PDB file of all heavy atoms in Angstrom:
ATOM      1  N   ARG G   1       0.820  -1.214   0.000  1.00 96.00           N
ATOM      2  CA  ARG G   1       0.000   0.000   0.000  1.00 96.00           C
ATOM      3  C   ARG G   1       0.858   1.269   0.000  1.00 96.00           C
ATOM      4  O   ARG G   1       0.582   2.207  -0.741  1.00 96.00           O
ATOM      5  CB  ARG G   1      -0.948  -0.004   1.201  1.00 96.00           C
ATOM      6  CG  ARG G   1      -1.810   1.264   1.326  1.00 96.00           C
ATOM      7  CD  ARG G   1      -2.851   1.116   2.406  1.00 96.00           C
ATOM      8  NE  ARG G   1      -3.893   0.183   1.993  1.00 96.00           N
ATOM      9  CZ  ARG G   1      -4.928   0.501   1.211  1.00 96.00           C
ATOM     10  NH1 ARG G   1      -5.054   1.750   0.742  1.00 96.00           N
ATOM     11  NH2 ARG G   1      -5.835  -0.386   0.902  1.00 96.00           N
ATOM     12  N   GLU G   2       1.893   1.290   0.829  1.00 96.00           N
ATOM     13  CA  GLU G   2       2.742   2.473   0.892  1.00 96.00           C
ATOM     14  C   GLU G   2       3.406   2.768  -0.451  1.00 96.00           C
ATOM     15  O   GLU G   2       3.546   3.916  -0.852  1.00 96.00           O
ATOM     16  CB  GLU G   2       3.804   2.301   1.976  1.00 96.00           C
ATOM     17  CG  GLU G   2       3.285   2.490   3.390  1.00 96.00           C
ATOM     18  CD  GLU G   2       4.412   2.655   4.385  1.00 96.00           C
ATOM     19  OE1 GLU G   2       5.470   2.013   4.188  1.00 96.00           O
ATOM     20  OE2 GLU G   2       4.232   3.422   5.354  1.00 96.00           O
ATOM     21  N   GLY G   3       3.829   1.715  -1.140  1.00 96.00           N
ATOM     22  CA  GLY G   3       4.465   1.904  -2.432  1.00 96.00           C
ATOM     23  C   GLY G   3       3.517   2.507  -3.446  1.00 96.00           C
ATOM     24  O   GLY G   3       3.884   3.432  -4.189  1.00 96.00           O
ATOM     25  N   VAL G   4       2.267   2.013  -3.499  1.00 96.00           N
ATOM     26  CA  VAL G   4       1.286   2.528  -4.457  1.00 96.00           C
ATOM     27  C   VAL G   4       0.907   3.963  -4.105  1.00 96.00           C
ATOM     28  O   VAL G   4       0.751   4.811  -4.993  1.00 96.00           O
ATOM     29  CB  VAL G   4       0.038   1.627  -4.495  1.00 96.00           C
ATOM     30  CG1 VAL G   4      -1.029   2.215  -5.410  1.00 96.00           C
ATOM     31  CG2 VAL G   4       0.415   0.227  -4.972  1.00 96.00           C
ATOM     32  N   ILE G   5       0.779   4.264  -2.820  1.00 96.00           N
ATOM     33  CA  ILE G   5       0.447   5.626  -2.402  1.00 96.00           C
ATOM     34  C   ILE G   5       1.539   6.603  -2.828  1.00 96.00           C
ATOM     35  O   ILE G   5       1.261   7.760  -3.178  1.00 96.00           O
ATOM     36  CB  ILE G   5       0.241   5.674  -0.867  1.00 96.00           C
ATOM     37  CG1 ILE G   5      -1.044   4.928  -0.493  1.00 96.00           C
ATOM     38  CG2 ILE G   5       0.194   7.109  -0.358  1.00 96.00           C
ATOM     39  CD1 ILE G   5      -1.260   4.780   0.997  1.00 96.00           C
ATOM     40  N   ALA G   6       2.793   6.145  -2.817  1.00 96.00           N
ATOM     41  CA  ALA G   6       3.917   7.019  -3.171  1.00 96.00           C
ATOM     42  C   ALA G   6       3.975   7.337  -4.659  1.00 96.00           C
ATOM     43  O   ALA G   6       4.705   8.245  -5.065  1.00 96.00           O
ATOM     44  CB  ALA G   6       5.232   6.372  -2.725  1.00 96.00           C
ATOM     45  N   LEU G   7       3.234   6.604  -5.491  1.00 96.00           N
ATOM     46  CA  LEU G   7       3.221   6.886  -6.916  1.00 96.00           C
ATOM     47  C   LEU G   7       2.492   8.190  -7.203  1.00 96.00           C
ATOM     48  O   LEU G   7       1.484   8.501  -6.576  1.00 96.00           O
ATOM     49  CB  LEU G   7       2.523   5.751  -7.674  1.00 96.00           C
ATOM     50  CG  LEU G   7       3.219   4.387  -7.685  1.00 96.00           C
ATOM     51  CD1 LEU G   7       2.307   3.343  -8.321  1.00 96.00           C
ATOM     52  CD2 LEU G   7       4.550   4.438  -8.418  1.00 96.00           C
ATOM     53  N   THR G   8       2.990   8.949  -8.161  1.00 96.00           N
ATOM     54  CA  THR G   8       2.313  10.167  -8.585  1.00 96.00           C
ATOM     55  C   THR G   8       1.197   9.820  -9.558  1.00 96.00           C
ATOM     56  O   THR G   8       1.099   8.693 -10.056  1.00 96.00           O
ATOM     57  CB  THR G   8       3.302  11.127  -9.267  1.00 96.00           C
ATOM     58  OG1 THR G   8       3.753  10.532 -10.495  1.00 96.00           O
ATOM     59  CG2 THR G   8       4.507  11.400  -8.364  1.00 96.00           C
ATOM     60  N   GLU G   9       0.353  10.814  -9.833  1.00 96.00           N
ATOM     61  CA  GLU G   9      -0.709  10.597 -10.813  1.00 96.00           C
ATOM     62  C   GLU G   9      -0.119  10.299 -12.194  1.00 96.00           C
ATOM     63  O   GLU G   9      -0.672   9.507 -12.965  1.00 96.00           O
ATOM     64  CB  GLU G   9      -1.621  11.831 -10.887  1.00 96.00           C
ATOM     65  CG  GLU G   9      -2.480  12.036  -9.650  1.00 96.00           C
ATOM     66  CD  GLU G   9      -3.388  10.845  -9.374  1.00 96.00           C
ATOM     67  OE1 GLU G   9      -3.943  10.276 -10.352  1.00 96.00           O
ATOM     68  OE2 GLU G   9      -3.554  10.476  -8.205  1.00 96.00           O
ATOM     69  N   ALA G  10       1.015  10.937 -12.496  1.00 96.00           N
ATOM     70  CA  ALA G  10       1.685  10.662 -13.764  1.00 96.00           C
ATOM     71  C   ALA G  10       2.172   9.214 -13.816  1.00 96.00           C
ATOM     72  O   ALA G  10       2.054   8.543 -14.847  1.00 96.00           O
ATOM     73  CB  ALA G  10       2.855  11.621 -13.970  1.00 96.00           C
ATOM     74  N   ASP G  11       2.703   8.723 -12.679  1.00 96.00           N
ATOM     75  CA  ASP G  11       3.152   7.329 -12.621  1.00 96.00           C
ATOM     76  C   ASP G  11       1.988   6.374 -12.882  1.00 96.00           C
ATOM     77  O   ASP G  11       2.131   5.392 -13.623  1.00 96.00           O
ATOM     78  CB  ASP G  11       3.753   7.021 -11.240  1.00 96.00           C
ATOM     79  CG  ASP G  11       5.097   7.691 -11.018  1.00 96.00           C
ATOM     80  OD1 ASP G  11       5.841   7.876 -12.003  1.00 96.00           O
ATOM     81  OD2 ASP G  11       5.398   8.033  -9.855  1.00 96.00           O
ATOM     82  N   ILE G  12       0.851   6.653 -12.275  1.00 96.00           N
ATOM     83  CA  ILE G  12      -0.332   5.809 -12.472  1.00 96.00           C
ATOM     84  C   ILE G  12      -0.703   5.761 -13.954  1.00 96.00           C
ATOM     85  O   ILE G  12      -0.983   4.689 -14.514  1.00 96.00           O
ATOM     86  CB  ILE G  12      -1.531   6.335 -11.652  1.00 96.00           C
ATOM     87  CG1 ILE G  12      -1.228   6.281 -10.139  1.00 96.00           C
ATOM     88  CG2 ILE G  12      -2.792   5.536 -11.967  1.00 96.00           C
ATOM     89  CD1 ILE G  12      -1.075   4.893  -9.583  1.00 96.00           C
ATOM     90  N   ALA G  13      -0.674   6.913 -14.606  1.00 96.00           N
ATOM     91  CA  ALA G  13      -1.023   6.974 -16.021  1.00 96.00           C
ATOM     92  C   ALA G  13      -0.022   6.193 -16.870  1.00 96.00           C
ATOM     93  O   ALA G  13      -0.409   5.493 -17.816  1.00 96.00           O
ATOM     94  CB  ALA G  13      -1.073   8.431 -16.486  1.00 96.00           C
ATOM     95  N   TRP G  14       1.252   6.288 -16.538  1.00 95.00           N
ATOM     96  CA  TRP G  14       2.271   5.558 -17.300  1.00 95.00           C
ATOM     97  C   TRP G  14       2.097   4.057 -17.141  1.00 95.00           C
ATOM     98  O   TRP G  14       2.226   3.299 -18.107  1.00 95.00           O
ATOM     99  CB  TRP G  14       3.669   5.976 -16.847  1.00 95.00           C
ATOM    100  CG  TRP G  14       4.097   7.350 -17.269  1.00 95.00           C
ATOM    101  CD1 TRP G  14       4.486   8.377 -16.456  1.00 95.00           C
ATOM    102  CD2 TRP G  14       4.175   7.864 -18.600  1.00 95.00           C
ATOM    103  NE1 TRP G  14       4.801   9.489 -17.193  1.00 95.00           N
ATOM    104  CE2 TRP G  14       4.622   9.200 -18.511  1.00 95.00           C
ATOM    105  CE3 TRP G  14       3.903   7.327 -19.858  1.00 95.00           C
ATOM    106  CZ2 TRP G  14       4.810  10.002 -19.639  1.00 95.00           C
ATOM    107  CZ3 TRP G  14       4.091   8.125 -20.982  1.00 95.00           C
ATOM    108  CH2 TRP G  14       4.535   9.435 -20.872  1.00 95.00           C
ATOM    109  N   ILE G  15       1.809   3.610 -15.930  1.00 95.00           N
ATOM    110  CA  ILE G  15       1.608   2.170 -15.695  1.00 95.00           C
ATOM    111  C   ILE G  15       0.381   1.682 -16.452  1.00 95.00           C
ATOM    112  O   ILE G  15       0.387   0.616 -17.073  1.00 95.00           O
ATOM    113  CB  ILE G  15       1.487   1.882 -14.188  1.00 95.00           C
ATOM    114  CG1 ILE G  15       2.796   2.230 -13.468  1.00 95.00           C
ATOM    115  CG2 ILE G  15       1.133   0.413 -13.945  1.00 95.00           C
ATOM    116  CD1 ILE G  15       2.689   2.229 -11.958  1.00 95.00           C
ATOM    117  N   GLU G  16      -0.699   2.460 -16.403  1.00 94.00           N
ATOM    118  CA  GLU G  16      -1.914   2.089 -17.132  1.00 94.00           C
ATOM    119  C   GLU G  16      -1.654   1.998 -18.634  1.00 94.00           C
ATOM    120  O   GLU G  16      -2.280   1.202 -19.331  1.00 94.00           O
ATOM    121  CB  GLU G  16      -3.009   3.121 -16.856  1.00 94.00           C
ATOM    122  CG  GLU G  16      -3.563   3.068 -15.440  1.00 94.00           C
ATOM    123  CD  GLU G  16      -4.554   4.176 -15.165  1.00 94.00           C
ATOM    124  OE1 GLU G  16      -4.523   5.210 -15.878  1.00 94.00           O
ATOM    125  OE2 GLU G  16      -5.372   4.034 -14.236  1.00 94.00           O
ATOM    126  N   ALA G  17      -0.713   2.811 -19.112  1.00 93.00           N
ATOM    127  CA  ALA G  17      -0.367   2.798 -20.535  1.00 93.00           C
ATOM    128  C   ALA G  17       0.563   1.651 -20.895  1.00 93.00           C
ATOM    129  O   ALA G  17       0.898   1.464 -22.071  1.00 93.00           O
ATOM    130  CB  ALA G  17       0.275   4.123 -20.932  1.00 93.00           C
ATOM    131  N   GLY G  18       1.006   0.885 -19.874  1.00 90.00           N
ATOM    132  CA  GLY G  18       1.830  -0.286 -20.143  1.00 90.00           C
ATOM    133  C   GLY G  18       3.312  -0.096 -19.920  1.00 90.00           C
ATOM    134  O   GLY G  18       4.102  -1.000 -20.224  1.00 90.00           O
ATOM    135  N   TYR G  19       3.728   1.057 -19.395  1.00 93.00           N
ATOM    136  CA  TYR G  19       5.153   1.279 -19.134  1.00 93.00           C
ATOM    137  C   TYR G  19       5.584   0.471 -17.920  1.00 93.00           C
ATOM    138  O   TYR G  19       5.056   0.663 -16.821  1.00 93.00           O
ATOM    139  CB  TYR G  19       5.434   2.763 -18.900  1.00 93.00           C
ATOM    140  CG  TYR G  19       5.421   3.584 -20.156  1.00 93.00           C
ATOM    141  CD1 TYR G  19       4.217   3.908 -20.783  1.00 93.00           C
ATOM    142  CD2 TYR G  19       6.594   4.037 -20.734  1.00 93.00           C
ATOM    143  CE1 TYR G  19       4.189   4.654 -21.949  1.00 93.00           C
ATOM    144  CE2 TYR G  19       6.584   4.795 -21.900  1.00 93.00           C
ATOM    145  CZ  TYR G  19       5.380   5.098 -22.502  1.00 93.00           C
ATOM    146  OH  TYR G  19       5.363   5.833 -23.652  1.00 93.00           O
ATOM    147  N   PRO G  20       6.561  -0.434 -18.066  1.00 92.00           N
ATOM    148  CA  PRO G  20       6.932  -1.318 -16.961  1.00 92.00           C
ATOM    149  C   PRO G  20       8.024  -0.769 -16.047  1.00 92.00           C
ATOM    150  O   PRO G  20       8.415  -1.425 -15.097  1.00 92.00           O
ATOM    151  CB  PRO G  20       7.446  -2.565 -17.694  1.00 92.00           C
ATOM    152  CG  PRO G  20       8.053  -2.015 -18.934  1.00 92.00           C
ATOM    153  CD  PRO G  20       7.243  -0.814 -19.309  1.00 92.00           C
ATOM    154  N   SER G  21       8.524   0.425 -16.344  1.00 94.00           N
ATOM    155  CA  SER G  21       9.608   0.984 -15.529  1.00 94.00           C
ATOM    156  C   SER G  21       9.639   2.480 -15.737  1.00 94.00           C
ATOM    157  O   SER G  21       9.341   2.978 -16.831  1.00 94.00           O
ATOM    158  CB  SER G  21      10.957   0.363 -15.925  1.00 94.00           C
ATOM    159  OG  SER G  21      12.038   1.092 -15.363  1.00 94.00           O
ATOM    160  N   VAL G  22      10.039   3.209 -14.708  1.00 94.00           N
ATOM    161  CA  VAL G  22      10.171   4.661 -14.838  1.00 94.00           C
ATOM    162  C   VAL G  22      11.256   5.005 -15.841  1.00 94.00           C
ATOM    163  O   VAL G  22      11.234   6.073 -16.466  1.00 94.00           O
ATOM    164  CB  VAL G  22      10.455   5.299 -13.462  1.00 94.00           C
ATOM    165  CG1 VAL G  22      11.857   4.938 -12.963  1.00 94.00           C
ATOM    166  CG2 VAL G  22      10.282   6.813 -13.526  1.00 94.00           C
ATOM    167  N   LEU G  23      12.199   4.095 -16.055  1.00 93.00           N
ATOM    168  CA  LEU G  23      13.259   4.346 -17.025  1.00 93.00           C
ATOM    169  C   LEU G  23      12.718   4.404 -18.450  1.00 93.00           C
ATOM    170  O   LEU G  23      13.280   5.079 -19.309  1.00 93.00           O
ATOM    171  CB  LEU G  23      14.333   3.262 -16.924  1.00 93.00           C
ATOM    172  CG  LEU G  23      15.087   3.194 -15.591  1.00 93.00           C
ATOM    173  CD1 LEU G  23      16.082   2.040 -15.600  1.00 93.00           C
ATOM    174  CD2 LEU G  23      15.814   4.499 -15.309  1.00 93.00           C
ATOM    175  N   TYR G  24      11.614   3.694 -18.714  1.00 93.00           N
ATOM    176  CA  TYR G  24      11.010   3.723 -20.039  1.00 93.00           C
ATOM    177  C   TYR G  24      10.377   5.087 -20.313  1.00 93.00           C
ATOM    178  O   TYR G  24      10.177   5.468 -21.463  1.00 93.00           O
ATOM    179  CB  TYR G  24       9.950   2.637 -20.174  1.00 93.00           C
ATOM    180  CG  TYR G  24      10.512   1.244 -20.295  1.00 93.00           C
ATOM    181  CD1 TYR G  24      11.373   0.711 -19.343  1.00 93.00           C
ATOM    182  CD2 TYR G  24      10.184   0.433 -21.372  1.00 93.00           C
ATOM    183  CE1 TYR G  24      11.899  -0.560 -19.453  1.00 93.00           C
ATOM    184  CE2 TYR G  24      10.693  -0.854 -21.491  1.00 93.00           C
ATOM    185  CZ  TYR G  24      11.553  -1.335 -20.525  1.00 93.00           C
ATOM    186  OH  TYR G  24      12.068  -2.615 -20.642  1.00 93.00           O
ATOM    187  N   VAL G  25      10.039   5.807 -19.260  1.00 92.00           N
ATOM    188  CA  VAL G  25       9.498   7.157 -19.399  1.00 92.00           C
ATOM    189  C   VAL G  25      10.633   8.153 -19.604  1.00 92.00           C
ATOM    190  O   VAL G  25      10.535   9.080 -20.408  1.00 92.00           O
ATOM    191  CB  VAL G  25       8.679   7.534 -18.148  1.00 92.00           C
ATOM    192  CG1 VAL G  25       8.130   8.951 -18.276  1.00 92.00           C
ATOM    193  CG2 VAL G  25       7.545   6.542 -17.928  1.00 92.00           C
ATOM    194  N   GLU G  26      11.732   7.948 -18.878  1.00 91.00           N
ATOM    195  CA  GLU G  26      12.830   8.911 -18.883  1.00 91.00           C
ATOM    196  C   GLU G  26      13.728   8.782 -20.105  1.00 91.00           C
ATOM    197  O   GLU G  26      14.361   9.757 -20.512  1.00 91.00           O
ATOM    198  CB  GLU G  26      13.677   8.729 -17.614  1.00 91.00           C
ATOM    199  CG  GLU G  26      12.891   8.987 -16.324  1.00 91.00           C
ATOM    200  CD  GLU G  26      13.682   8.597 -15.092  1.00 91.00           C
ATOM    201  OE1 GLU G  26      14.750   7.949 -15.240  1.00 91.00           O
ATOM    202  OE2 GLU G  26      13.229   8.925 -13.979  1.00 91.00           O
ATOM    203  N   LYS G  27      13.802   7.590 -20.686  1.00 91.00           N
ATOM    204  CA  LYS G  27      14.704   7.367 -21.810  1.00 91.00           C
ATOM    205  C   LYS G  27      13.941   7.405 -23.130  1.00 91.00           C
ATOM    206  O   LYS G  27      12.724   7.314 -23.166  1.00 91.00           O
ATOM    207  CB  LYS G  27      15.415   6.018 -21.653  1.00 91.00           C
ATOM    208  CG  LYS G  27      16.281   5.900 -20.412  1.00 91.00           C
ATOM    209  CD  LYS G  27      16.952   4.539 -20.327  1.00 91.00           C
ATOM    210  CE  LYS G  27      17.739   4.374 -19.032  1.00 91.00           C
ATOM    211  NZ  LYS G  27      18.870   5.322 -18.974  1.00 91.00           N
ATOM    212  N   GLY G  28      14.690   7.495 -24.223  1.00 89.00           N
ATOM    213  CA  GLY G  28      14.072   7.484 -25.537  1.00 89.00           C
ATOM    214  C   GLY G  28      15.091   7.109 -26.597  1.00 89.00           C
ATOM    215  O   GLY G  28      16.293   7.053 -26.343  1.00 89.00           O
ATOM    216  N   GLY G  29      14.591   6.841 -27.814  1.00 92.00           N
ATOM    217  CA  GLY G  29      15.472   6.565 -28.936  1.00 92.00           C
ATOM    218  C   GLY G  29      16.362   5.358 -28.718  1.00 92.00           C
ATOM    219  O   GLY G  29      15.943   4.337 -28.172  1.00 92.00           O
ATOM    220  N   LEU G  30      17.615   5.488 -29.137  1.00 92.00           N
ATOM    221  CA  LEU G  30      18.559   4.378 -29.057  1.00 92.00           C
ATOM    222  C   LEU G  30      18.843   3.973 -27.622  1.00 92.00           C
ATOM    223  O   LEU G  30      19.066   2.795 -27.335  1.00 92.00           O
ATOM    224  CB  LEU G  30      19.868   4.757 -29.762  1.00 92.00           C
ATOM    225  CG  LEU G  30      19.812   4.852 -31.289  1.00 92.00           C
ATOM    226  CD1 LEU G  30      21.143   5.339 -31.834  1.00 92.00           C
ATOM    227  CD2 LEU G  30      19.444   3.509 -31.906  1.00 92.00           C
ATOM    228  N   GLU G  31      18.825   4.951 -26.709  1.00 92.00           N
ATOM    229  CA  GLU G  31      19.093   4.630 -25.310  1.00 92.00           C
ATOM    230  C   GLU G  31      18.022   3.702 -24.750  1.00 92.00           C
ATOM    231  O   GLU G  31      18.326   2.738 -24.043  1.00 92.00           O
ATOM    232  CB  GLU G  31      19.167   5.911 -24.484  1.00 92.00           C
ATOM    233  CG  GLU G  31      19.601   5.675 -23.036  1.00 92.00           C
ATOM    234  CD  GLU G  31      19.654   6.944 -22.223  1.00 92.00           C
ATOM    235  OE1 GLU G  31      19.126   7.969 -22.690  1.00 92.00           O
ATOM    236  OE2 GLU G  31      20.205   6.915 -21.104  1.00 92.00           O
ATOM    237  N   LEU G  32      16.759   3.982 -25.083  1.00 92.00           N
ATOM    238  CA  LEU G  32      15.674   3.121 -24.626  1.00 92.00           C
ATOM    239  C   LEU G  32      15.765   1.755 -25.278  1.00 92.00           C
ATOM    240  O   LEU G  32      15.549   0.725 -24.620  1.00 92.00           O
ATOM    241  CB  LEU G  32      14.323   3.773 -24.943  1.00 92.00           C
ATOM    242  CG  LEU G  32      13.079   2.949 -24.596  1.00 92.00           C
ATOM    243  CD1 LEU G  32      13.049   2.603 -23.117  1.00 92.00           C
ATOM    244  CD2 LEU G  32      11.817   3.700 -24.994  1.00 92.00           C
ATOM    245  N   ARG G  33      16.091   1.732 -26.574  1.00 90.00           N
ATOM    246  CA  ARG G  33      16.228   0.449 -27.272  1.00 90.00           C
ATOM    247  C   ARG G  33      17.333  -0.388 -26.647  1.00 90.00           C
ATOM    248  O   ARG G  33      17.187  -1.602 -26.466  1.00 90.00           O
ATOM    249  CB  ARG G  33      16.523   0.709 -28.751  1.00 90.00           C
ATOM    250  CG  ARG G  33      16.620  -0.551 -29.590  1.00 90.00           C
ATOM    251  CD  ARG G  33      15.311  -1.312 -29.601  1.00 90.00           C
ATOM    252  NE  ARG G  33      15.381  -2.488 -30.438  1.00 90.00           N
ATOM    253  CZ  ARG G  33      14.447  -3.419 -30.502  1.00 90.00           C
ATOM    254  NH1 ARG G  33      13.345  -3.306 -29.768  1.00 90.00           N
ATOM    255  NH2 ARG G  33      14.577  -4.464 -31.281  1.00 90.00           N
ATOM    256  N   PHE G  34      18.427   0.267 -26.295  1.00 92.00           N
ATOM    257  CA  PHE G  34      19.532  -0.437 -25.658  1.00 92.00           C
ATOM    258  C   PHE G  34      19.110  -0.990 -24.298  1.00 92.00           C
ATOM    259  O   PHE G  34      19.431  -2.122 -23.942  1.00 92.00           O
ATOM    260  CB  PHE G  34      20.720   0.504 -25.491  1.00 92.00           C
ATOM    261  CG  PHE G  34      21.918  -0.124 -24.844  1.00 92.00           C
ATOM    262  CD1 PHE G  34      22.736  -1.004 -25.553  1.00 92.00           C
ATOM    263  CD2 PHE G  34      22.236   0.148 -23.520  1.00 92.00           C
ATOM    264  CE1 PHE G  34      23.836  -1.590 -24.954  1.00 92.00           C
ATOM    265  CE2 PHE G  34      23.340  -0.436 -22.913  1.00 92.00           C
ATOM    266  CZ  PHE G  34      24.148  -1.313 -23.634  1.00 92.00           C
ATOM    267  N   HIS G  35      18.355  -0.200 -23.544  1.00 92.00           N
ATOM    268  CA  HIS G  35      17.906  -0.651 -22.223  1.00 92.00           C
ATOM    269  C   HIS G  35      16.990  -1.862 -22.337  1.00 92.00           C
ATOM    270  O   HIS G  35      17.120  -2.817 -21.569  1.00 92.00           O
ATOM    271  CB  HIS G  35      17.172   0.485 -21.502  1.00 92.00           C
ATOM    272  CG  HIS G  35      16.685   0.104 -20.141  1.00 92.00           C
ATOM    273  ND1 HIS G  35      17.494   0.129 -19.025  1.00 92.00           N
ATOM    274  CD2 HIS G  35      15.466  -0.337 -19.713  1.00 92.00           C
ATOM    275  CE1 HIS G  35      16.812  -0.280 -17.967  1.00 92.00           C
ATOM    276  NE2 HIS G  35      15.576  -0.563 -18.358  1.00 92.00           N
ATOM    277  N   THR G  36      16.051  -1.840 -23.281  1.00 89.00           N
ATOM    278  CA  THR G  36      15.140  -2.981 -23.439  1.00 89.00           C
ATOM    279  C   THR G  36      15.915  -4.234 -23.855  1.00 89.00           C
ATOM    280  O   THR G  36      15.568  -5.341 -23.443  1.00 89.00           O
ATOM    281  CB  THR G  36      14.045  -2.671 -24.473  1.00 89.00           C
ATOM    282  OG1 THR G  36      14.647  -2.330 -25.726  1.00 89.00           O
ATOM    283  CG2 THR G  36      13.184  -1.508 -24.009  1.00 89.00           C
ATOM    284  N   MET G  37      16.952  -4.064 -24.676  1.00 89.00           N
ATOM    285  CA  MET G  37      17.765  -5.209 -25.067  1.00 89.00           C
ATOM    286  C   MET G  37      18.501  -5.775 -23.862  1.00 89.00           C
ATOM    287  O   MET G  37      18.573  -6.990 -23.669  1.00 89.00           O
ATOM    288  CB  MET G  37      18.769  -4.820 -26.154  1.00 89.00           C
ATOM    289  CG  MET G  37      19.565  -6.005 -26.698  1.00 89.00           C
ATOM    290  SD  MET G  37      20.737  -5.554 -27.989  1.00 89.00           S
ATOM    291  CE  MET G  37      21.997  -4.741 -26.991  1.00 89.00           C
TER     292      MET G  37
END
């Protein structure tokens, strides 16, 4: 419960959109592709 309460509204929206990590929000392009690999 404490962990979910600590999430921001933006975090909730990202999770609902299927983002599995905050790093997927912060990264992009080749850096994100490298991270997923």
Side-chain angles (χ1 to χ4, degrees):
R1 177 172 289 278
E2 283 194 325
V4 176
I5 290 173
L7 293 173
T8 66
E9 290 301 320
D11 289 329
I12 297 294
W14 288 122
I15 296 169
E16 289 175 338
Y19 285 75
S21 167
V22 70
L23 297 178
Y24 287 56
V25 179
E26 298 171 350
K27 299 180 184 295
L30 289 176
E31 187 181 13
L32 177 58
R33 183 62 178 171
F34 180 75
H35 180 82
T36 57
M37 185 179 74

